[in-house]
Amino acid sequence: MMKYANFPGCSANTTGKSFTISTNYVAKKIGCEFVDIPDWNCCGTSAAALTSPELAVALPARSLAIAEQKLPGLDVVAACAGCYKSLRTSLVYARKSAENLEQVRELIDMPYEATTDVISLLEAFSAPEAREAIAAKVVKKLRCLKVACYYGCAMVRPVEVCDFDDPEDPQSMDELMALIGAEPVDWAFKTECCGAAQQMAVPKEARPMIERIFQNAWANGADCIVTSCPLCMLNLDMREAEINKARIAAGKEPFDIPCYYFTELIGLAFGGQASELGIDIHFHPAEQLLQKRAQDAIELEKAEAAARAEEERRQAELAERIARKKAEKAAKEAAAAKEGADVGKEDAR
Amino acid sequence: MRAIDLSAITDEDLQACAAIAAEAGVDLKDCYQCGKCTAGCPLAESMDLMPREIIRFLQLGDLETVLTAKTPWICAQCDVCSTRCPQNVDICSTMRAVRLASKHAGKQPVREADIFDDAFIANVKSHGVSNEQYLAAAYNLKSGHLMQDAGNAIRMLKRKMVGVAVHNSQGRAEVAALVDRALAADAKRRADASGKGGEA
Ligand code: SF4
Ligand code: SF4
């Protein structure tokens, strides 16, 4: 049974709206249930860690303690990579020793055992049961769509905390994309940081990080970038226009790389419409590429069908030729045998 | 790396550097200055000191250089450095510890980064959740970058990603109390440490 306690995170109904919409769409289709943690609060993200270690531990622990009490037995799922990292960092700290746990209890002033596990949405949808259900619901494979799967940093690092995939070359998203027929490309910036909140705090210093991510995806033949974090999405999708403006001013070719949440593409493969999945409210136009690749896929399938028909025709022709040759050979042998017999008869005379 | 006058470094400086390393869970002796952390750092080009140099100055006890460096404030906390260090030095946590020490010493060499985090926590304290539009507005006001991302704010409004309504966690009073408790515990820990460590 796929049922989880959900930590929505602060962007769920705002900048990460499309992530929430598409996640719910996919979850419903595959029979996965998410129950929101009642009265959850902000995870604190890097701002808390850069303010106080105590605060960084306490903010996530409150929501985890509520989940433990109100939704016992359910793992907590966080869609946002930042939330996932903050929640897990707090959890790992509390589990490290009895003193740590006691300190956390005092900080949150609540009973807490640190028993509830925290996983990312990507991890939840990569579980065998979910993968089977996803494979079974695909009605329209996203063939021809070349995707650069972008995990960012918080999904895979630090390894002592976020440990469900490889920190340098993670595969879970690539596998999900292959499952729905898309073509994941090999590229070097899978786990490069998008700059996170630094894109707001120190924009001048941080902007080149985004440009390099687009550049590497582009250079490796990707049509688009697929992400599993609303902050990565915002930093890439919203700032692509600004980066392109600067590129044009510098005489460089602008990028045309839409970004998608992995859940949007899964929903699309389930037959969902762009508007049902939140793909219509992206900053960089995101619908055209999908239409184009869907058309390419139809053409490809036509070409494949024609190639299959041609191959069948060739095989049939070959079979016919072989049969003809066999028949000719048999007839010749029969004739030769008859002649031999006739000669024998004549000799006997 | 420039030459430094080691004779100007006091015992207190050395102790303070050791305390920063201890808070990050790092043994400074582990670093053999290979530079792998810097090679992978996505922000190195924008830093005044390389991540490797931060560790080097901590080893040498050059507290002032470390506390006034922009590097820890530009660092995005992405953990590439710590993941790749062949000696398991947690540079990312060291950056955080340096930044906190710099903040508490009143240095804050990159004002914007400090303002951003303070505005974020203030937002969480009053609503229990972070309201992105108000966070952006508060940050712009306090940092003086009034028009930063203004065009993007309009684009967000058009997409109904943000609105004027403020979201609140129902437990916001509890969250506010939690923030106060955590910050009090933080202050107490620091006071105890400075009591124990003399001047440091
Ligand atoms: S990678 Fe590790 S050992 Fe090498 S310079 Fe950086 S901190 Fe030192
Ligand atoms: S954590 Fe900071 S210092 Fe380390 S690689 Fe990332 S940005 Fe650079």
Side-chain angles (χ1 to χ4, degrees):
Chain A
M1 184 197 57
M2 293 183 280
K3 186 172 177 182
Y4 297 99
N6 184 38
F7 183 84
C10 298
S11 64
N13 291 316
T14 57
T15 49
K17 226 163 115 179
S18 306
F19 202 8
T20 308
I21 296 171
S22 54
T23 298
N24 291 342
Y25 182 94
V26 172
K28 203 168 159 204
K29 290 251 172 180
I30 64 169
C32 179
E33 197 185 332
F34 294 116
V35 189
D36 282 1
I37 299 174
D39 195 22
W40 59 275
N41 59 275
C42 172
C43 73
T45 181
S46 58
L50 292 165
T51 300
S52 149
E54 283 81 358
L55 189 59
V57 163
L59 279 171
R62 178 179 172 274
S63 300
L64 292 180
I66 296 174
E68 200 175 271
Q69 282 170 26
K70 302 270 168 73
L71 303 168
L74 299 185
D75 284 350
V76 169
V77 160
C80 166
C83 298
Y84 166 67
K85 176 178 164 180
S86 305
L87 294 175
R88 278 207 65 85
T89 303
S90 173
L91 179 68
V92 168
Y93 178 85
R95 283 179 175 175
K96 204 165 187 175
S97 70
E99 295 87 76
N100 282 10
L101 182 59
E102 189 48 42
Q103 183 203 1
V104 178
R105 281 189 197 125
E106 271 166 30
L107 287 171
I108 59 176
D109 197 20
M110 289 165 86
Y112 180 48
E113 301 298 333
T115 47
T116 295
D117 226 327
V118 176
I119 66 172
S120 78
L121 182 68
L122 183 57
E123 197 175 352
F125 280 176
S126 295
E129 193 185 350
R131 277 198 349 191
E132 239 168 69
I134 289 171
K137 290 285 172 197
V138 172
V139 296
K140 190 184 110 194
K141 290 212 164 199
L142 304 190
R143 302 189 62 190
C144 301
L145 186 68
K146 292 201 170 67
V147 298
C149 292
Y150 178 59
Y151 300 75
C153 47
M155 201 60 93
V156 290
R157 289 190 300 263
V159 277
E160 310 77 53
V161 172
C162 308
D163 57 355
F164 83 100
D165 210 332
D166 187 275
E168 297 286 357
D169 188 15
Q171 294 297 331
S172 46
M173 211 192 308
D174 294 67
E175 283 166 12
L176 283 177
M177 290 299 106
L179 198 61
I180 59 168
E183 289 176 42
V185 304
D186 231 348
W187 67 309
F189 277 55
K190 271 185 169 182
T191 64
E192 189 85 357
C193 176
C194 73
Q198 295 298 70
Q199 293 297 352
M200 226 176 142
V202 289
K204 191 166 73 47
E205 287 80 1
R207 279 302 188 275
M209 302 167 87
I210 303 177
E211 184 164 0
R212 282 195 297 260
I213 292 166
F214 279 123
Q215 181 79 58
N216 196 267
W218 194 246
N220 285 292
D223 289 325
C224 60
I225 291 178
V226 186
T227 168
S228 56
C229 170
L231 187 52
C232 294
M233 178 61 135
L234 189 71
N235 277 338
L236 294 171
D237 183 39
M238 185 177 79
R239 304 191 188 283
E240 186 168 354
E242 175 197 324
I243 285 166
N244 278 340
K245 217 165 141 189
R247 282 178 71 85
I248 291 166
K252 289 190 220 161
E253 198 195 339
F255 299 122
D256 180 15
I257 308 181
C259 302
Y260 305 99
Y261 291 111
F262 74 102
T263 44
E264 290 175 337
L265 295 186
I266 295 176
L268 208 65
F270 286 179
Q273 299 300 312
S275 56
E276 292 176 279
L277 298 163
I279 298 175
D280 55 335
I281 56 167
H282 288 198
F283 290 97
H284 189 88
E287 291 169 90
Q288 227 177 343
L289 170 71
L290 298 173
Q291 285 157 5
K292 195 159 168 288
R293 288 296 175 257
Q295 203 55 47
D296 292 348
I298 291 171
E299 297 294 321
L300 178 69
E301 259 147 39
K302 264 193 214 153
E304 280 175 354
R308 260 197 315 275
E310 170 65 15
E311 179 63 20
E312 270 163 29
R313 195 191 60 70
R314 245 172 38 81
Q315 291 291 344
E317 199 183 290
L318 198 68
E320 199 193 307
R321 223 186 304 150
I322 291 170
R324 206 166 52 224
K325 279 261 163 71
K326 265 193 191 154
E328 279 172 20
K329 202 174 155 205
K332 244 190 220 160
E333 276 169 10
K338 188 164 177 276
E339 203 169 299
D342 287 351
V343 170
K345 263 189 225 157
E346 256 165 48
D347 284 352
R349 261 192 227 138
Chain B
M1 197 161 127
R2 63 180 170 75
I4 61 165
D5 179 6
L6 291 178
S7 64
I9 287 165
T10 65
D11 280 353
E12 284 76 28
D13 290 345
L14 278 165
Q15 274 169 21
C17 288
I20 289 170
E23 185 173 326
V26 162
D27 184 346
L28 291 170
K29 292 194 296 298
D30 287 343
C31 170
Y32 49 34
Q33 290 287 299
C34 67
K36 197 171 177 188
C37 48
T38 300
C41 174
L43 276 158
E45 66 180 309
S46 303
M47 291 171 167
D48 53 354
L49 288 180
M50 295 300 101
R52 175 190 64 78
E53 290 178 302
I54 292 288
I55 305 284
R56 187 65 180 146
F57 283 114
L58 284 171
Q59 287 175 331
L60 294 171
D62 191 345
L63 184 65
E64 185 62 17
T65 298
V66 169
L67 294 189
T68 53
K70 289 187 176 151
T71 293
W73 300 80
I74 288 168
C75 163
Q77 292 288 301
C78 77
D79 245 303
V80 162
C81 47
S82 305
T83 306
R84 295 187 184 163
C85 172
Q87 289 289 90
N88 279 322
V89 177
D90 187 349
I91 306 104
C92 182
S93 295
T94 308
M95 292 291 177
R96 205 162 53 236
V98 170
R99 189 163 153 170
L100 287 172
S102 170
K103 185 183 174 94
H104 294 307
K107 309 273 187 195
Q108 295 114 314
V110 183
R111 217 176 116 255
E112 284 81 0
D114 197 42
I115 291 171
F116 180 85
D117 289 340
D118 287 351
F120 191 100
I121 298 303
N123 199 340
V124 172
K125 193 179 161 184
S126 38
H127 306 295
V129 295
S130 163
N131 283 273
E132 284 154 314
Q133 71 278 35
Y134 289 99
L135 167 63
Y139 168 76
N140 286 8
L141 268 180
K142 289 186 188 132
S143 65
H145 302 309
L146 291 182
M147 296 310 288
Q148 181 175 313
D149 276 332
N152 284 329
I154 293 165
R155 294 164 85 200
M156 285 186 203
L157 275 168
K158 273 198 194 140
R159 288 166 175 78
K160 300 202 174 65
M161 285 177 168
V162 295
V164 272
V166 179
H167 296 273
N168 288 307
S169 163
Q170 278 154 27
R172 62 203 252 216
E174 269 177 42
V175 176
L178 176 149
V179 172
D180 286 340
R181 250 192 326 272
L183 294 181
D186 182 292
K188 182 171 180 298
R189 169 178 48 80
R190 277 182 292 111
D192 290 353
S194 70
K196 256 185 257 162
E199 287 304 303

